[in-house]
Amino acid sequence: MTQLPLRAQLASALGRTAATLSRVTGRGDGSVIGGRVGLVLEPDLLKQLARDRKLALVSATNGKTTTTRLITAALTELGEVATNAFGANMPAGHVSALSAHKTAPYGVLEVDEKYLPEVLETTGASVVCLMNLSRDQMDRAAEIWLLAQKWRRALSGKPTHVIANCDDPLVTWGASTAAKVTWVAGGQRWKEDSWSCPECGGPLDRKGADWACRECTFHRPEPHWVLDDDAVIDPRGHRWVLDLQLPGLANRSNGAMALAVAEAFGLHVQSALPRLREVTSVAGRYTTVQRDGRAARLLLSKNPAGWLEAFDVSDPSLPIILSVNAQGPDGRDTSWLWDVDYRILRGRPVYITGERRLDLALRLDVADVPFQLCESFTEAFNAIPPGRLDVIANYTAFQQIRSEFGRAV
């Protein structure tokens, strides 16, 4: 790789120092502050760190941290990979990730949906992975069709190879201006944000996985890769059983996307798939933690589509703790709680906590789901008899719970 200019070297080194100090003083993992320091000293640092690397950018409303982890696991078969493993998915986090792995020839960066155009323009990434778009943090990100429109503009005229989920009409529309697109039929369980055509506004007709606009030519592209229950069918028609350790349909979809990205890097499924199977947890997600005779599995969910997937993974025979905050990273607006169908929880012991527990309590009461209101996670945890339980929490609530168990990996 080309050596960085002196100013960029200094900015990168001081950024790493700031990140280290953040970690040793217990202020955080350093993945944001290190990048911020570097960018203050050299505003062009991200572009310079990205130069001469083959990069993949991963963006979606749900699943981007997990898919980033899976792609990274696969690409380690080729060599060292720089990645923002802790989900710091804005430019400061990208600077920290690339700076921490100065000589890595490959990079896989999770990118916030809103920042994708900027990061693509800055890094010139050769591969972009787009998975899904649904309502999330409406007070910050605005309407999702606007995000899809920004993606279209950002990809137009670029030589970037896009890997996109053709089962999501908004993602398809956002990706369709790219010079090269590999379409993956990764599934779309949450359809409430894509009943209208993003091209003309007409109604979308759906038949099974297929969809098409009733009033214009916009329709589902023919997929190159197909998720088929517990397996993926590659472009040559070969069927590969995924057999991932991460649970649920959503993670099988993430795995299919990861395999398509790996092939874009020249890595065959036969070499990539064993690496994907080694991933057991992603930044605490799906981890089971134990204390006082109780084994709690931690699930992250931050919007209606994510709750649908969490319920799919959750064990209906177990007690469950739900925790919702509304801090900056979560989005201040909790009106999305009314879009989640909580009736699936009927018959389970349900305990609710978090800063917005009263909002959640009202929603469960309307859904006729009995619950126990708790002042803290510890109170909820201790109220459950010894044994197994599930925990579903949104972003900052999830991080607080992880901290209680020593930041479970």
Side-chain angles (χ1 to χ4, degrees):
M1 292 181 62
T2 305
Q3 189 174 32
L4 292 174
L6 183 59
R7 183 185 181 91
Q9 289 184 49
L10 178 61
S12 180
L14 289 176
R16 291 195 301 274
T17 301
T20 300
L21 288 172
S22 178
R23 288 191 293 271
V24 299
T25 58
R27 294 178 178 271
D29 59 33
S31 57
V32 174
I33 187 63
R36 285 179 177 170
V37 168
L39 286 169
V40 167
L41 296 171
E42 173 52 271
D44 207 29
L45 184 56
L46 179 56
K47 182 176 183 178
Q48 296 187 38
L49 286 168
R51 188 178 294 127
D52 298 331
R53 304 192 206 226
K54 186 165 185 180
L55 295 180
L57 308 182
V58 181
S59 199
T61 306
N62 292 296
K64 51 186 177 287
T65 302
T66 300
T67 305
T68 297
R69 176 70 181 88
L70 290 170
I71 296 169
T72 301
L75 294 187
T76 54
E77 187 75 14
L78 299 176
E80 185 183 3
V81 183
T83 188
N84 48 340
F86 297 105
N89 57 23
M90 298 178 192
H94 303 146
V95 165
S96 289
L98 297 179
S99 181
H101 301 274
K102 294 182 295 181
T103 61
Y106 305 100
V108 184
L109 301 177
E110 172 189 338
V111 184
D112 180 271
E113 308 93 286
K114 187 176 179 179
Y115 280 83
L116 180 64
E118 174 188 334
V119 175
L120 176 59
E121 182 67 29
T122 302
T123 63
S126 57
V127 177
V128 170
C129 177
L130 305 175
M131 300 183 297
N132 54 72
L133 275 175
S134 64
R135 282 167 288 165
D136 184 53
Q137 297 188 36
M138 296 293 288
D139 52 326
R140 182 186 72 87
E143 291 291 344
I144 50 176
W145 74 268
L146 291 175
L147 290 175
Q149 187 178 63
K150 289 178 179 178
W151 287 4
R152 283 173 64 82
R153 291 171 179 166
L155 292 168
S156 180
K158 297 283 196 311
T160 307
H161 182 177
V162 175
I163 313 296
N165 181 8
C166 65
D167 288 339
D168 188 321
L170 272 173
V171 169
T172 300
W173 189 63
S176 59
T177 58
K180 181 179 181 181
V181 185
T182 294
W183 297 110
V184 181
Q188 186 196 31
R189 287 164 60 90
W190 177 263
K191 300 179 176 67
E192 303 309 312
D193 294 313
S194 54
W195 289 108
S196 298
C197 174
E199 182 69 30
C200 74
L204 290 179
D205 290 327
R206 293 179 179 269
K207 185 176 181 181
D210 199 24
W211 54 264
C213 178
R214 195 181 303 170
E215 297 182 2
C216 75
T217 60
F218 186 59
H219 64 281
R220 179 178 181 260
E222 189 67 29
H224 302 96
W225 295 75
V226 177
L227 179 64
D228 181 25
D229 191 25
D230 64 345
V232 64
I233 300 171
D234 70 19
R236 294 158 295 281
H238 297 149
R239 190 174 189 272
W240 304 85
V241 176
L242 289 168
D243 195 24
L244 302 179
Q245 296 196 57
L246 300 178
L249 176 61
N251 281 317
R252 295 197 294 275
S253 177
N254 295 338
M257 301 296 297
L259 289 175
V261 172
E263 184 162 284
F265 275 73
L267 185 62
H268 191 269
V269 177
Q270 192 168 0
S271 299
L273 191 50
R275 295 283 189 172
L276 267 59
R277 291 169 178 161
E278 295 172 359
V279 179
T280 59
S281 175
V282 180
R285 298 159 173 82
Y286 317 110
T287 295
T288 296
V289 293
Q290 302 195 27
R291 188 169 70 195
D292 300 331
R294 300 169 181 84
R297 183 170 54 161
L298 307 182
L299 304 172
L300 173 69
S301 182
K302 55 192 179 68
N303 51 47
W307 281 78
L308 184 65
E309 301 299 348
F311 290 152
D312 176 56
V313 172
S314 182
D315 187 335
S317 67
L318 298 180
I320 188 167
I321 298 174
L322 310 178
S323 184
V324 172
N325 287 351
Q327 297 180 20
D330 307 304
R332 304 287 185 185
D333 183 354
T334 58
S335 61
W336 57 266
L337 289 170
W338 294 88
D339 295 326
V340 180
D341 188 354
Y342 289 101
R343 292 174 296 178
I344 194 172
L345 298 175
R346 290 175 183 171
R348 297 180 68 173
V350 177
Y351 301 79
I352 60 175
T353 184
E355 296 169 354
R356 303 303 286 266
R357 58 190 175 276
L358 295 181
D359 293 356
L360 184 55
L362 177 59
R363 178 68 187 94
L364 293 181
D365 185 61
V366 170
D368 198 23
V369 176
F371 61 87
Q372 182 171 327
L373 186 65
C374 302
E375 290 294 317
S376 66
F377 173 79
T378 299
E379 179 185 326
F381 187 80
N382 292 336
I384 297 174
R388 294 165 54 225
L389 64 135
D390 283 334
V391 178
I392 302 178
N394 71 342
Y395 187 73
T396 62
F398 186 86
Q399 301 307 328
Q400 290 167 0
I401 292 167
R402 283 185 69 200
S403 295
E404 291 205 24
F405 289 95
R407 303 287 294 183
V409 177

